[in-house]
Amino acid sequence: MTHTAFSSFVSRRVQSVKLSPVAAATAQAAALAGEGRSIITLTSGEPDFDTPEAIKDAAIFALKQGDTKYTATAGTAALRNAIVAKYSKENNISLKTDHVIVSNGGKQVIYQALNATLNDSDQVIIPAPYWPSFPDMVKINGGVPVLIQGRASEGFKITAARLEQAITQHTKWLILNSPNNPTGAVYSISELKQLAEVLRRHPHVLILWDEMYEHIWFTDEAPVHFLHVAPDLKERTLLVNGASKTYAMTGWRIGWGAGPEGLIRAMGVVQSQVSSGANSFAQAATVAALNGVASDFVEIARLTYQKRASQVIEGLSRIPGLKVIRPEGSFFVYVNCEDLIGSLRPDGGQIQTDQDLVDWLLESQGVAVVAGTAYGLSPYFRLSFAASDQDLQQAILRIERARLQLTLSEVVVA
Ligand SMILES: Cc1ncc(COP(=O)(O)O)c(C=O)c1O
């Protein structure tokens, strides 16, 4: 049976979402590279570094010790305790082991949080631009994403007034992601204080604080933690974090959620039917990571991303037609390309959308980035600088060349 013929069997919930656009863009780039084209792929949301050796050694040691069995669904006691210790040491937040669940990546944590709490038509407020999985996970779990459109003039962050307007009696969650994928925005103390003020007036709203890029920041001080600004909201806040970005462990699939015990317990019920405990030796390796076997790596990686952010910003701002806001964290820059919309390619085709521009960059110069449509704010594209200095330098030159081949519409009209 063809994929189209089968579609009548696919549930409405699953039909309401698409395959990850980032995965699609990465696959398209890989296919062209497979044909022998020189492609620079800046689509991916993962560190280009390898996992530090000391973390790998901890996994090997665990394997050799026979750490190869099912673990408790919510994670090993050793890892959950290490996560509690991490929050106490790094964030000055006190938690109990029962407040923590370990899953196959932060992605599963978020999925389970929504699955465990959403009834049909419950609303989830998501600031755009967003990580594409947020709205899709809401839809697949029967909820309704309520988007607050970010404004470049506000650094792509939502304000208290706009949050207040978006909350209804059906709101179940607000999702905040700082440092942000795809914009690199980081909420300041005063911005979070104002949002917390609004949230205090609406006790039926849960807060999902996605801090996956916690350790990748370029500001003078580390990003502010939501629970420092609003410790009184701890009883309705879920922290989502993991090993993927901080320790270059995307393939190991270890993420965690920390929040109110009742929520963590409900998420554990879901996990017990979906996957059970996460990989045993990956959990052992994450204990070593959290205990600091690779603490040098975390700081070196951060400084490297910071240097690349400057390199990329400097390069892109020299290209007429592109506008960039300096990211304060994560490893992405969200590039405004509105001045290139309406321009003409050498073959006469018109660049009508950010996707057209992204296609042009790939076709003409072999640079793969992801169109803003995937993140809910156009016309933009996301460029990941989790790539080598050399690749980034080459990519900027190629984007400049691709841009020079376009004729701006004003020129055409004149
Ligand atoms: C904002 C954000 N949250 C969560 C995740 C999930 O990461 P993982 O499932 O690898 O832990 C990602 C990964 O790209 C992300 O960008």
Side-chain angles (χ1 to χ4, degrees):
M1 200 183 304
T2 64
H3 136 85
T4 330
F6 193 80
S7 64
S8 62
F9 291 103
V10 177
S11 70
R12 277 192 293 280
R13 283 185 181 182
V14 171
Q15 287 196 30
S16 73
V17 306
K18 336 162 244 340
L19 265 184
S20 154
V22 180
T26 309
Q28 198 186 356
L32 287 176
E35 289 167 15
R37 294 258 329 257
S38 155
I39 304 292
I40 303 176
T41 305
L42 305 178
T43 52
S44 146
E46 68 179 346
D48 54 312
F49 303 104
D50 193 6
T51 307
E53 285 305 311
I55 298 178
K56 290 185 187 173
D57 287 344
I60 294 165
F61 181 75
L63 263 174
K64 294 215 159 138
Q65 293 279 96
D67 198 350
T68 55
K69 307 286 190 210
Y70 286 133
T71 72
T73 298
T76 61
L79 180 51
R80 292 165 89 201
N81 289 334
I83 292 166
V84 168
K86 170 246 174 312
Y87 279 107
S88 160
K89 197 171 58 194
E90 291 183 358
N91 311 94
N92 201 16
I93 292 169
S94 123
L95 295 168
K96 294 204 184 86
T97 315
D98 288 344
H99 295 164
V100 175
I101 185 167
V102 175
S103 309
N104 294 294
K107 206 169 208 177
Q108 189 180 6
V109 174
I110 300 166
Y111 188 94
Q112 288 174 174
L114 297 170
N115 190 273
T117 54
L118 291 183
N119 290 314
D120 278 346
S121 308
D122 279 352
Q123 298 173 353
V124 178
I125 299 178
I126 304 172
Y130 45 69
W131 180 47
S133 289
F134 291 139
D136 280 352
M137 286 196 208
V138 169
K139 286 194 238 164
I140 216 167
N141 283 300
V144 179
V146 174
L147 306 177
I148 303 184
Q149 284 299 324
R151 295 176 182 155
S153 58
E154 292 165 350
F156 301 113
K157 292 179 268 191
I158 59 167
T159 59
R162 302 181 74 210
L163 173 61
E164 183 78 66
Q165 271 170 5
I167 295 177
T168 70
Q169 57 180 359
H170 303 292
T171 308
K172 182 96 4 104
W173 287 94
L174 162 68
I175 297 183
L176 288 174
N177 168 216
S178 173
N180 185 270
N181 172 8
T183 64
V186 173
Y187 279 89
S188 69
I189 296 190
S190 67
E191 288 159 346
L192 288 179
K193 273 191 178 157
Q194 290 169 33
L195 296 180
E197 258 325 292
V198 175
L199 291 161
R200 285 189 188 102
R201 288 197 288 277
H202 300 280
H204 65 292
V205 179
L206 298 166
I207 301 114
L208 192 156
W209 178 250
D210 181 328
E211 51 182 357
M212 203 50 89
Y213 298 89
E214 178 189 16
H215 289 286
I216 306 175
W217 47 274
F218 321 127
T219 36
D220 292 339
E221 283 176 36
V224 188
H225 202 287
F226 181 70
L227 287 185
H228 276 183
V229 173
D232 55 315
L233 297 181
K234 189 171 164 195
E235 275 312 303
R236 49 188 171 109
T237 300
L238 175 69
L239 310 179
V240 178
N241 205 329
S244 291
K245 319 286 176 176
T246 304
Y247 302 108
M249 289 174 68
T250 44
W252 298 66
R253 309 310 300 130
I254 296 291
W256 60 83
E261 197 181 334
L263 172 63
I264 297 297
R265 193 181 290 257
M267 289 163 63
V269 171
V270 180
Q271 184 159 319
S272 72
Q273 299 306 343
V274 172
S275 59
S276 304
N279 175 298
S280 54
F281 44 93
Q283 291 191 61
T286 308
V287 172
L290 289 173
N291 286 344
V293 291
S295 51
D296 288 0
F297 167 84
V298 176
E299 185 59 3
I300 290 168
R302 185 179 82 76
L303 295 173
T304 308
Y305 292 128
Q306 183 166 30
K307 198 169 107 275
R308 290 174 182 170
S310 300
Q311 179 193 353
V312 165
I313 294 296
E314 202 184 299
L316 289 174
S317 6
R318 282 202 312 265
I319 304 177
L322 298 182
K323 287 185 271 212
V324 278
I325 293 187
R326 177 174 285 275
E328 298 181 311
S330 81
F331 37 65
F332 305 108
V333 53
Y334 204 54
V335 185
N336 179 308
C337 54
E338 67 188 330
D339 291 347
L340 299 184
I341 302 300
S343 61
L344 296 180
R345 297 190 316 223
D347 65 1
Q350 192 173 42
I351 304 289
Q352 292 178 341
T353 62
D354 48 20
Q355 185 62 54
D356 289 346
L357 180 68
V358 164
D359 290 344
W360 171 244
L361 294 177
L362 186 59
E363 270 167 46
S364 67
Q365 294 293 331
V367 176
V369 289
V370 187
T373 36
Y375 307 97
L377 187 68
S378 289
Y380 283 84
F381 62 83
R382 185 191 80 168
L383 180 151
S384 161
F385 46 88
S388 70
D389 291 0
Q390 232 175 338
D391 273 0
L392 291 172
Q393 208 175 358
Q394 253 306 306
I396 304 283
L397 288 175
R398 291 186 187 195
I399 293 173
E400 195 163 10
R401 254 183 258 147
R403 153 69 189 86
L404 284 174
Q405 288 173 280
L406 296 174
T407 313
L408 292 189
S409 47
E410 284 83 2
V411 179
V412 176
V413 172

